[in-house]
Structure formats: C-alpha cells, structure tokens
C-alpha cells in the first residue's frame, strides 16, 4: 500500500506540474502585457482627440496587444517629445503633431527609417494616399513617419443663424463675397449679445498657408509679398467688427469650439478635425447645432477650389523598446485598416478611397449636401509647408510676425519686411 500510495502521489504531482506549466504557457501567450505584445504611445490630449483612442482600441483587439498611453499636454507636446528623445527615452511610438518638429527629430537620427513601407504598397494604395504619404518624405528621400490623418480647412456654418437672418447659405464664396456675407451676418449692439459673421482663429497658417496654396507660393522660400492681400482681408474684417479681434482671442485664450458651439459666430474657417468633435458632442447631447460646410473663400480669378490642411502622423522612436510591434502599429494607423477606423468617427484620413468616403458620410449627423462633400474633397488640398530642415525655424518667425501684424503692433508692410529679413538669416 505504501508503494502504491507513493506512486499515486508522484503521478498526481506530475499531472499538477503539467497542468500548471500548460496554463502558464497559455496565459503567457494571451498576456497583453508581455514584453513582445506591448508598446508605449506618446500623444497629445488623448481624451480630447478621439482618433487616438479609436486606433489604439482597434489595434489592441486585432493584434492581441497592449498600447500604453503617454498623454502629454497639447501646448507642451513638441518640447516634451524633444526632451524625451534627447534623454534616450524608450517610448515606442510618437505621434507627430508638427511637420517642422518631425523634420528636426528625423535630422537628428532619433526616428526609425520607415521608407520600406512605401515599397510594398500596391498601385491602388499609392493612389489612395495621393500626396499625403510623400508629405513626410524628408530631403534625404526617406520616410521617418507615416501619416494617418489629413486635415482639410473648410468653412463651417450655422444653418439656424442663416435662416434667422434670411441669408442664403454660403456656397462658392470669393474673398470679396465672404466679407460681404460676414457683415450681413453680424448682429448685436454689445459684446454679450453680439453674433459675429465669421471667426478667424489665432493660428497663423489660416492666413499664410491659405495664401500660399491659393497663389501657388511657398512659405519656406523667404518672399512674402503674396500674403499682403490676405492680411488686408483679415485686418479689415476685424476692424469693421464682422469677426472677433485677434487681441481678444489671444488675451482671453478663446477656443474656436466655444465660439461656434455657443453660436457666437455664423461661420468659421477651421480644419476638418473639428468634425469628429461636433459629431461626438451631438451624440452626447452637449452640442445642439444644425451645421454644414462649404469650401473656404477663393480668389475671384480661380477656377478651382483650393485649400490646405496639415498631416498628422506616427513615428517609431530609434530607441524603441519594441520596434517590431511599434512599426506594425504605425503601419496599421496609416493604412487602409486605420483609415476605416478613423472614418467611422468623422476623421478625414491620409489614406482615402471610395469605401472610406462612404463610411465618413454615413455617420449620423454628418451633412449630406453636395457642398459639404465638395468642401472636404476640393480640387486641391495642399499642405502648410514641406518637410524641410529649416521649417521649424522659419514657421516660428512667421508665427511671431503674424502676432504683431494682427494686433497691429507693426504695419503690414513692416511685418512682411521683418519676415523676409529674419528668414534670410535662417536660410
């Protein structure tokens, strides 16, 4: 009996060891926090920017992976990423907010070369990207990031305010007819009651990148006479009171969403990234607007609808802890799979085809009129500037001089002269 009991106990011990070992292996294979199935992702404003959460959740589900979020304040994002990369930090994936900063990271060899991604694309894929993939190609001919989003600047408008004023909805506006429309749509004798016909946010590309694309110029070339007509329009509109003045926007830290959603402005030139926020707010019951989109105003001699929009992308840290999975995540976000995920929540994507467009316009609450569709898919949707080594320095100067011009601390002629003389030193 003693031997039989001993043999039985030995067998049970072996079985227990086998079961435990088997479970351990099974759990490890499914463990989303294991080193091979986990990456970290640095982004700005994770809770406010719904595209990040949508991409992360979809990727985690499809690849049985875990993505840890490093959430950084939007205003401090570029400085924080610069510090992280300089310190040798191993955060795997870095969202690229600004093309100028991206080029700086690439030139310092802090990002992984992703150029081979474009080599394996089909002709259909290349066509679906248009120029968006190439917008991240640096002067050495390489890609150190891949775009997942491509914004389009459009004219958002409030249908209720137009109906109330008895004014036709904006359609194919020139800059001249836009100014007249804004005057007609401005009402209220004091600030508390005032509704502005238009709203121009403080970002300098709204003036400068619009002007560059509509006049076939380049913000990095160092000559800025082409900006004069556009600045005259923006300055005249704030001086006549049809838009909120720039100084007020700056000093009160006004947000574009608060102006539009509280119906303080009948129209607003803004990027398509705002669509997702409007749709989300409408679904949650926090936004109650009947809104549409039209192309931004055009030069009266133009036969095309021309606008611009910056890309947003993802890059892999050269010191990434899990570069293989990080690269897979970036390719997922940029390609067809990521585009489908994003179009479902109202984000305009870098990768576009008929299926993606149909998905975008099938969202409840999305405007269905042809003018809104034309606004999002114009004849030309250019970029703020190229992926140039001097871009960050040049745009810093352009932004500083833009502030001085718009608050009228310097004359328009002096401001443009300052841009040219200061950038001559950079180039």
């Amino acid at each position: 009996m003693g031997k039989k009991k001993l043999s039985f106990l030995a067998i049970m011990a072996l079985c227990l060891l086998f079961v435990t070992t088997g479970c351990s292996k099974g759990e490890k294979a499914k463990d989303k926090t294991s080193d091979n199935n986990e990456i970290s992702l640095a982004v700005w404003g994770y809770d406010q920017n719904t595209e990040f959460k949508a991409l992360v959740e979809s990727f985690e589900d499809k690849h049985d992976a875990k993505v840890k979020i490093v959430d950084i304040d939007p205003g401090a994002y570029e400085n924080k990423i610069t510090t992280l990369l300089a310190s040798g930090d191993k955060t795997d994936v870095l969202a690229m907010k600004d093309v100028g900063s991206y080029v700086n990271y690439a030139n310092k060899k802090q990002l992984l070369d992703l150029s081979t991604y474009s080599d394996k694309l089909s002709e259909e894929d290349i066509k679906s990207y248009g120029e968006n993939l190439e917008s991240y190609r640096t002067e050495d001919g390489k890609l150190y990031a891949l775009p997942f989003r491509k914004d389009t600047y459009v004219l958002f408008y409030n249908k209720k305010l137009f109906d109330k004023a008895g004014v036709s909805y904006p359609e194919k506006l020139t800059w001249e007819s836009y100014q007249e429309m804004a005057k007609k749509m401005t009402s209220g004798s004091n600030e508390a009651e005032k509704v502005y016909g238009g709203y121009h946010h403080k970002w300098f590309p709204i003036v400068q990148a619009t002007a560059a694309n509509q006049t076939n110029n380049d913000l990095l070339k160092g000559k800025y006479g082409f900006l004069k007509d556009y600045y005259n329009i923006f300055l005249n509109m704030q001086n006549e009171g049809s838009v909120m003045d720039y100084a007020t926007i700056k000093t009160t830290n006004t947000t574009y969403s608060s102006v539009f959603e509280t119906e303080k402005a009948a129209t607003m030139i803004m990027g398509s990234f705002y669509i997702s926020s409007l749709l989300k707010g409408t679904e949650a019951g926090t936004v109650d607007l009947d809104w549409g989109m039209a192309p931004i105003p055009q030069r009266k001699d133009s036969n095309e609808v021309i606008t611009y929009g910056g890309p947003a992308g993802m890059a892999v840290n050269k010191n990434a802890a899990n570069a293989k999975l990080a690269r897979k995540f970036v390719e997922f976000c940029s390609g067809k799979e990521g585009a489908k995920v994003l179009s479902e929540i109202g984000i305009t994507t870098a990768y576009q085809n008929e299926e993606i467009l149909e998905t975008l316009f099938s969202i409840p609450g999305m405007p269905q009129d042809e003018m809104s569709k034309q606004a999002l898919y114009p004849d030309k949707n250019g970029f703020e500037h190229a992926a140039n080594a001097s871009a960050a320095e040049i745009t810093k100067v352009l932004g500083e001089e833009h502030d001085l011009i718009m608050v009228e601390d310097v004359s328009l002629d002096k401001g443009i002269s300052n841009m040219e003389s200061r950038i001559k030193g950079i180039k």
Side-chain angles (χ1 to χ4, degrees):
M1 286 294 293
K3 287 184 179 180
K4 287 183 179 179
K5 185 176 182 180
L6 183 62
S7 297
F8 175 76
L9 290 173
I11 291 169
M12 288 299 292
L14 285 171
C15 287
L16 181 61
L17 178 63
F18 175 80
V19 170
T20 304
T21 303
C23 287
S24 175
K25 286 180 179 178
E27 287 172 359
K28 187 173 182 181
K30 294 182 179 180
D31 183 7
K32 292 184 179 181
T33 62
S34 64
D35 288 343
N36 289 334
N37 251 16
E38 179 178 294
I39 55 172
S40 51
L41 165 66
V43 299
W44 63 90
Y46 184 74
D47 291 331
Q48 292 76 41
N49 293 288
T50 54
E51 63 263 40
F52 295 130
K53 185 176 182 181
L55 289 169
V56 165
E57 290 181 349
S58 180
F59 182 80
E60 286 182 330
D61 182 60
K62 290 179 183 292
H63 294 276
D64 197 25
K66 175 65 180 175
V67 180
K68 291 168 56 179
I69 303 300
V70 180
D71 193 8
I72 299 171
D73 177 75
Y77 188 75
E78 286 89 348
N79 288 339
K80 182 67 173 177
I81 295 299
T82 298
T83 302
L84 287 177
L85 289 172
S87 69
D89 183 86
K90 295 185 181 297
T91 301
D92 297 288
V93 179
L94 312 168
M96 294 289 106
K97 185 180 181 184
D98 176 81
V99 173
S101 298
Y102 153 66
V103 175
N104 283 345
Y105 310 145
N107 286 344
K108 291 176 183 176
K109 307 301 180 186
Q110 294 171 323
L111 305 177
L112 200 66
D113 182 0
L114 304 177
S115 303
T116 55
Y117 174 72
S118 60
D119 297 338
K120 59 187 179 184
L121 294 176
S122 67
E123 287 186 16
E124 180 185 345
D125 290 332
I126 292 170
K127 181 181 178 182
S128 296
Y129 274 112
E131 297 179 5
N132 297 328
L133 191 65
E134 293 302 304
S135 70
Y136 274 116
R137 199 173 293 279
T138 55
E139 291 172 297
D140 63 1
K142 295 182 178 179
L143 293 169
Y144 296 95
L146 304 178
F148 65 89
R149 195 181 83 197
K150 174 60 166 83
D151 300 323
T152 305
Y153 271 73
V154 305
L155 186 73
F156 288 90
Y157 66 93
N158 184 315
K159 293 182 177 181
K160 185 179 82 173
L161 292 178
F162 275 85
D163 291 342
K164 183 179 178 181
V167 177
S168 298
Y169 297 154
E171 291 191 352
K172 296 180 179 179
L173 295 173
T174 63
W175 286 105
E176 291 76 16
S177 62
Y178 169 63
Q179 292 175 79
E180 290 302 313
M181 177 273 298
K183 280 192 282 190
K184 287 181 184 177
M185 291 302 300
T186 299
S187 63
S189 57
N190 59 61
E191 190 57 37
E193 298 175 349
K194 188 157 189 176
V195 175
Y196 294 96
Y199 178 77
H200 301 149
H201 201 49
K202 60 190 176 183
W203 300 328
F204 70 90
I206 292 177
V207 181
Q208 296 180 6
T210 298
N213 279 280
Q214 291 190 349
T215 63
N216 197 29
N217 278 288
D218 188 333
L219 288 179
L220 304 183
K221 293 296 185 182
K223 295 293 184 181
Y224 299 106
F226 66 88
L227 295 177
K228 192 167 182 177
D229 287 346
Y230 289 79
Y231 270 114
N232 275 324
I233 292 166
F234 278 61
L235 289 167
N236 287 340
M237 290 180 74
Q238 74 174 14
N239 288 334
E240 67 192 13
S242 61
V243 298
M244 188 182 296
D245 70 277
Y246 189 87
T248 299
I249 295 169
K250 288 281 285 189
T251 56
T252 59
N253 203 26
T254 300
T255 63
Y256 63 84
S257 57
S258 67
V259 173
F260 194 69
E261 289 165 27
T262 59
E263 300 188 294
K264 289 288 288 180
T267 68
M268 178 175 71
I269 297 173
M270 187 49 59
S272 55
F273 48 79
Y274 185 42
I275 294 171
S276 179
S277 177
L278 281 173
L279 294 173
K280 184 180 178 183
T282 301
E283 184 181 12
T286 58
V287 174
D288 182 19
L289 292 175
D290 187 7
W291 57 279
M293 294 176 288
I296 66 169
Q298 303 292 310
R299 295 176 66 87
K300 60 184 177 183
D301 58 352
S302 176
N303 295 318
E304 295 180 298
V305 174
I306 301 172
T307 187
Y308 81 98
M314 301 279 189
V316 178
N317 185 352
K318 191 75 173 286
N319 293 320
N322 192 347
K324 184 176 180 181
L325 187 61
R327 184 170 187 140
K328 184 180 290 186
F329 175 76
V330 171
E331 293 181 358
F332 168 86
C333 293
S334 180
K336 185 186 296 184
E337 288 182 290
K340 190 171 189 311
V341 170
L342 294 176
S343 63
E344 289 173 351
I345 60 168
I347 299 293
T348 52
T349 55
Y351 184 104
Q352 296 177 356
N353 58 24
E354 287 300 319
E355 179 187 2
I356 302 303
L357 302 188
E358 287 174 8
T359 301
L360 177 65
F361 278 95
S362 68
I363 303 172
M366 191 71 179
Q368 296 299 312
D369 60 284
E370 288 304 312
M371 193 56 59
S372 291
K373 293 178 182 179
Q374 185 181 11
L376 280 185
Y377 302 101
D379 299 312
K380 178 186 174 184
N381 182 12
F383 298 89
E384 292 179 16
H385 53 75
N388 183 283
S390 301
E393 286 184 273
I394 290 174
T395 54
K396 182 175 183 293
V397 169
L398 295 178
E400 290 170 353
E401 295 299 332
H402 173 76
D403 276 351
L404 296 175
I405 292 170
M406 291 304 297
V407 298
E408 300 188 74
D409 273 1
V410 300
S411 69
L412 177 52
D413 287 338
K414 179 61 175 174
I416 289 175
S417 175
N418 288 345
M419 291 178 193
E420 294 179 347
S421 60
R422 291 179 65 187
I423 286 169
K424 192 178 295 183
I426 296 171
K427 295 174 70 67

